[in-house]
Amino acid sequence: MSAHSLWCLATARRIFSAVGYLLHLGMNAIMVAMVWPWWAYLPTLPQLALFVLAAAFFAAVAGWRAADARPRGLASSVPRTGHHESAWAQAVHAVMMLAMVWAVAIMSLALASPAAALGPVGHQGPHAVAHAPTGLWAMVSGVLLVVTLVAGGISFLFALSRHVRVRGFVCDRVGSDLLAGAAMSLGMAAMCATMLAG
C-alpha cells in the first residue's frame, strides 16, 4: 500500500489527488509503526490531529464530488469522474481516516490503563495494545466502522470487476486505485474487528 501511495503521489497531476495520496502514505506509515513497541512512545495528539484533518479533507472532497455530479443539463449524462474518485469512494477514504482516529484513541487508552503498566506480568504492554478497552462508545463506533469499511471494500471490488470487464486489465491508475481501496478498506475492517474481539 505504501508503494502504491508513493507511486501515485509522484505521478499525481491534481493537487487534491496528491494530498489524498500523501495522507494515505502517512496513514500507512503510522499503521506500520503501530506493530512496534516504540509506537507507544509517540505522542498521541499529533496522530489524532492528522487523522481528524485527513477525515475532514476526504469528507470535503466527497461533498465537492457529490455537488459536481449533480445534473447539469445534457452534459450531466457523461460522468466527470470514475468510481475511484467518486463521492462514495472519497467518503470511504474519510471513514478509513476515522477508523485510524478510533484505533489510535483506544490503543492509547489501553496503554494508559493500569493493566498496561504491568508489562509482561500482566501480559500487556505495547505489543498487546490491540486488547483495547471496549466500553460502549468503543464497541458501537467500532462495529459501525467495521460494517462501513466492509461495505466500502465490497463496493471497490465491484467497481474493480466492472473496470476489468471494460478494460480487460487491472494494472492501470484506475484499476490499481480500486484494488488498493478494496485492500485498505477490508484490511482496516479486519484490524478494527480484531481490536473489538480482543
Side-chain angles (χ1 to χ4, degrees):
M1 293 298 101
S2 296
H4 173 266
S5 296
L6 189 60
W7 171 68
C8 290
L9 174 62
T11 58
R13 297 180 179 179
R14 289 177 293 184
I15 185 65
F16 283 144
S17 297
V19 172
Y21 291 125
L22 182 61
L23 291 172
H24 273 295
L25 191 60
M27 181 189 77
N28 294 337
I30 292 180
M31 288 183 72
V32 170
M34 284 177 169
V35 305
W36 296 95
W38 50 263
W39 176 84
Y41 303 103
L42 296 179
T44 300
L45 288 180
Q47 297 179 68
L48 291 176
L50 170 65
F51 293 126
V52 168
L53 290 175
F57 169 80
F58 283 113
V61 175
W64 179 73
R65 294 292 190 196
D68 191 55
R70 294 180 64 182
R72 288 185 175 87
L74 295 177
S76 65
S77 60
V78 180
R80 298 166 71 98
T81 59
H83 180 91
H84 70 301
E85 294 184 340
S86 67
W88 167 252
Q90 300 304 313
V92 175
H93 288 303
V95 175
M96 293 182 200
M97 298 301 168
L98 290 176
M100 290 302 296
V101 172
W102 180 86
V104 170
I106 66 170
M107 289 170 71
S108 298
L109 289 174
L111 287 172
S113 67
L118 296 176
V121 176
H123 303 288
Q124 297 290 329
H127 279 300
V129 291
H131 299 279
T134 52
L136 181 60
W137 73 270
M139 182 65 70
V140 173
S141 57
V143 169
L144 289 175
L145 286 170
V146 169
V147 171
T148 306
L149 289 168
V150 168
I154 293 173
S155 174
F156 277 120
L157 288 176
F158 274 118
L160 179 61
S161 66
R162 289 196 299 269
H163 176 74
V164 172
R165 285 199 302 270
V166 172
R167 296 296 180 92
F169 53 86
V170 177
C171 297
D172 60 358
R173 171 59 66 86
V174 175
S176 63
D177 271 356
L178 293 172
L179 182 60
M184 285 188 291
S185 295
L186 298 176
M188 295 190 72
M191 176 194 74
C192 293
T194 300
M195 295 175 69
L196 288 171

